[in-house]
Amino acid sequence: MMMGLDDEDDEFWSVAMNGRDEHLLLQDDHPDDFDVTSCETIERTITTLAPDSSDLRPLVLRLGQNSNDGCLSDVSGDIWDASLLLAGFLFGTNEGQQLCFNACFGKDSAQVDGGGILELGSGLGLSGMAAAAAAAAATLHARDVDDERTSRVILTDLDDNNILSLLSKNVESNLSEIGEG
């Protein structure tokens, strides 16, 4: 896609090219001088602010991250800028929350084996957990959600024990935060 002169004024393009939107997403300032020769996991805290029109509290996710390429692939063991942007959009905007709600609970979602969200290549799980939290948050304002239906967000990655165990640990340690929305 060629960027035209008018694209510089586009808010999404500006955020994507210049880093995260401070209104939607804040990331802790963990020093990058940790020992990369060890397989030690460091913890990063990602805070996604709820939409201004919402009475929701921010979504605070704590992600274990490992910098050693020998322990995790250099792709799945990192927090990508695109993941930060997507998490900010999904949980931090009314439109993102509505998209997640529709995928999990909307009338068309019942036609696709109960509906849900599938994230391929979840890595540390940031985007998938933000999608689950967004769907849960949107149900708080929905009037006709069947109490028997549950949100189904599936996170996947390579069939590698190190990658999947860190992804699983990240999801498990954030379950209460995701469900509270």
Side-chain angles (χ1 to χ4, degrees), residues 71-94:
C71 297
L72 297 175
S73 86
D74 57 344
V75 175
S76 63
D78 202 0
I79 299 173
W80 290 83
D81 290 343
S83 183
L84 292 168
L85 275 171
L86 184 57
F89 171 75
L90 294 176
F91 186 82
T93 67
N94 290 321

Side-chain angles (χ1 to χ4, degrees), residues 15-16 19-21 25-27 44 46 48 63-67 69 72-89 119-128 130 157-158 163 170:
V15 170
R20 63 191 188 275
D21 182 340
L25 201 59
L26 305 172
Q27 183 175 1
R44 304 294 302 253
I46 308 295
T48 306
L63 302 176
Q65 179 181 12
N66 192 314
S67 66
D69 291 343
L72 297 175
S73 86
D74 57 344
V75 175
S76 63
D78 202 0
I79 299 173
W80 290 83
D81 290 343
S83 183
L84 292 168
L85 275 171
L86 184 57
F89 171 75
E119 182 183 19
L120 303 174
S122 301
L124 299 175
L126 175 60
S127 297
D157 212 304
L158 295 173
I163 294 169
N170 283 340

Side-chain angles (χ1 to χ4, degrees), residues 95-167:
E95 181 182 6
Q97 289 186 5
Q98 191 61 49
L99 285 170
C100 293
F101 174 83
N102 289 344
C104 293
F105 300 107
K107 63 179 178 168
D108 293 333
S109 71
Q111 297 173 359
V112 187
D113 191 26
I117 297 170
L118 171 64
E119 182 183 19
L120 303 174
S122 301
L124 299 175
L126 175 60
S127 297
M129 288 188 282
T139 60
L140 298 175
H141 303 290
R143 299 188 197 292
D144 44 338
V145 175
D146 182 357
D147 290 338
E148 298 296 315
R149 290 186 63 193
T150 58
S151 168
R152 188 166 50 170
V153 179
I154 301 171
L155 283 65
T156 67
D157 212 304
L158 295 173
D159 187 15
D160 178 286
N161 213 24
N162 291 323
I163 294 169
L164 294 176
S165 64
L166 187 54
L167 174 60

